[in-house]
Amino acid sequence: MSETTQTLPLLILALDFGGSATKGIYYTFEKRNPASLIVEPEVIKIPLESVASDSTEILGATSPENIAWVNINGETFAVGYLAQQKYYANAGLKELKYERAIAKTASAVWVASQKLKLGCNFQLALACLLPPGELENKQSLEEQLGTALANYITATGRMQVKLIEFKCLPEGAGIYLAYQKRVGEALKRKVIALAMVGYRNASVLIGDRGVVAADGKTSDLGMIRLLERVVAKTSGQTPSLLAPAIVAAGSDLSPVPLLRLLRSTGNANKQQELQQIQKAVKLARSEYSAALTSWLNQVIPRQVDEILFCGGTADYMKKELNLHYRGKSCVWGVGANIPKQVDEFSLLSRLADVYSLFLYFSQAVEKRFQSVGTRGGNH
């Protein structure tokens, strides 16, 4: 191993390719101040000429995550806010998550490198989360990432990043690891179901006496299904506008957060539109609850001792899920405590899975490097 390789900076990064946003936690061993990054889910292929001319002039006036683009193997992709606002990209909710993970990861690595001033040549230890149904693609994902990150172009020039550690776990794994650390040996005497309900997917992992089954289940029953029903019964609404307002309105459909959705101008029309939205949300919530709990009944064993609920959508549906599983031990709020300086975007439970994964992964990486006495090596 060359001395150059040993002295390259090492970025430790954990990513969750959520349907509503890519969420990441990162740091270097030198600084040890974990930080979070949030990048919108949109990705779109564009001509290199579209971004190459003006992006470097913008950098410095805005955060790097707002102008992220990558050129990989001759193909250029706008990612996140840039893709959403300038190129009218979509969130790709009907595609497999791992298919967009290459561009999303490359852009997240660039964003972190800009914030930490790492330059363009460093090492990367990467952990990421995928739905259980996509875990069979993790080897292909690792190979494609290794090739892509080794040589790609960004707004600040060419990046040459060496992927030296890679870990891909099912969504919910971070929560499970945090719970395992909390309860210890008691977990080996229980059957645990971990239900992760997010914006795009609902996933279930089963832990039997401390062993997590490899065949976790995934469905497309994320919050997007509820939002689509509301869009169908209202005028001029979109999922991206509806989601924060509906969540803020809560189970009692408080009208104040919904006022920002109103498009009408007259007072009478505004009141009618508000009632229409409240009625649509109430019906959609009932329909979604029925679909979600019906699926959960099929994949959660009847003899389960505890159900761990996690994910932003699970929190939103807490009232219905507790009612449906009354008599069962339902556990909420599992995960490592997230410092305020890390959760600077106030994502709360939406960050719990990836933050818990980051803690587990960073400790494992540090332990390994201490044992070999270097920060380099093959993975």
Side-chain angles (χ1 to χ4, degrees):
M1 184 187 305
S2 69
E3 183 178 346
T4 303
T5 300
Q6 291 184 35
T7 56
L8 284 175
L10 172 62
L11 173 66
I12 298 92
L13 173 66
L15 289 177
D16 177 359
F17 306 109
S20 60
T22 296
K23 301 174 285 289
I25 309 290
Y26 62 95
Y27 82 163
T28 62
F29 286 147
E30 287 76 16
K31 295 186 178 179
R32 294 184 179 277
N33 293 315
S36 59
L37 61 85
I38 306 297
V39 180
E40 285 82 355
E42 286 80 7
V43 176
I44 190 169
K45 185 178 175 181
I46 55 172
L48 177 61
E49 294 78 12
S50 297
V51 290
S53 59
D54 59 2
S55 58
T56 52
E57 297 174 7
I58 300 172
L59 186 60
T62 186
S63 299
E65 53 264 56
N66 294 333
I67 57 163
W69 61 266
V70 293
N71 178 277
I72 300 170
N73 298 326
E75 295 183 327
T76 304
F77 301 90
V79 181
Y81 184 81
L82 178 66
Q84 178 194 89
Q85 295 296 313
K86 188 173 181 180
Y87 300 104
Y88 311 106
N90 62 70
L93 297 180
K94 294 186 178 180
E95 300 176 20
L96 295 174
K97 284 188 177 181
Y98 95 97
E99 289 183 323
R100 292 189 171 202
I102 307 297
K104 289 183 177 183
T105 301
S107 63
V109 169
W110 174 74
V111 168
S113 73
Q114 288 295 301
K115 290 179 176 290
L116 294 174
K117 296 179 171 55
L118 290 178
C120 60
N121 188 12
F122 52 90
Q123 300 176 101
L124 172 67
L126 173 68
C128 63
L129 297 165
L130 284 179
E134 294 187 33
L135 277 183
E136 63 186 31
N137 301 308
K138 64 182 181 181
Q139 183 175 347
S140 173
L141 177 61
E142 179 180 7
E143 293 170 355
Q144 291 181 59
L145 281 172
T147 301
L149 295 172
N151 186 12
Y152 69 105
I153 301 170
T154 69
T156 55
R158 189 173 300 276
M159 301 281 290
Q160 294 179 306
V161 180
K162 184 177 182 181
L163 182 63
I164 64 167
E165 290 283 339
F166 179 80
K167 190 79 171 178
C168 184
L169 294 175
E171 292 172 348
I175 299 293
Y176 186 88
L177 289 165
Y179 191 63
Q180 185 180 52
K181 188 173 183 179
R182 179 191 300 182
V183 302
E185 290 294 313
L187 203 62
K188 297 179 181 179
R189 299 187 290 273
K190 297 179 179 180
V191 177
I192 304 289
L194 189 146
M196 165 67 75
V197 192
Y199 185 81
R200 170 179 168 174
N201 301 112
S203 301
V204 170
L205 300 175
I206 304 298
D208 190 348
R209 300 185 184 185
V211 179
V212 178
D215 58 341
K217 306 299 182 184
T218 304
S219 77
D220 62 357
L221 289 172
M223 191 177 192
I224 187 63
R225 299 283 86 88
L226 183 155
L227 298 173
E228 287 172 344
R229 298 298 295 162
V230 179
V231 168
K233 295 181 180 299
T234 54
S235 300
Q237 301 297 335
T238 64
S240 60
L241 290 174
L242 283 168
I246 288 177
V247 170
S251 59
D252 61 352
L253 291 177
S254 171
V256 176
L258 301 176
L259 293 177
R260 72 186 78 156
L261 298 172
L262 302 185
R263 299 167 63 87
S264 304
T265 54
N267 288 335
N269 290 338
K270 281 185 176 181
Q271 187 61 32
Q272 184 179 5
E273 186 181 3
L274 175 61
Q275 291 174 354
Q276 180 191 42
I277 292 174
Q278 287 177 310
K279 182 179 178 181
V281 173
K282 183 178 180 181
L283 179 59
R285 185 170 173 137
S286 178
E287 292 172 343
Y288 174 66
S289 174
L292 178 63
T293 54
S294 175
W295 179 76
L296 290 173
N297 287 343
Q298 300 301 311
V299 295
I300 294 179
R302 295 182 64 181
Q303 71 274 21
V304 71
D305 296 303
E306 291 180 344
I307 305 175
L308 275 60
F309 285 108
C310 51
T313 305
D315 287 346
Y316 174 69
M317 299 297 295
K318 186 174 182 177
K319 180 179 178 180
E320 288 86 350
L321 291 170
N322 274 335
L323 184 63
H324 183 76
Y325 287 105
R326 61 186 182 275
K328 291 286 186 183
S329 176
C330 296
V331 183
W332 299 83
V334 176
N337 293 323
I338 308 172
K340 288 184 178 180
Q341 64 268 25
V342 173
D343 188 16
E344 59 179 301
F345 303 99
S346 299
L347 295 181
L348 303 174
S349 63
R350 293 174 58 199
L351 206 60
D353 197 18
V354 71
Y355 182 69
S356 299
L357 171 67
F358 170 81
L359 292 181
Y360 160 80
F361 181 65
S362 60
Q363 290 167 5
V365 171
E366 182 166 15
K367 184 177 180 180
R368 179 188 167 189
F369 286 166
Q370 285 176 342
S371 68
V372 298
T374 181
R375 284 192 282 108
N378 297 319
H379 65 295

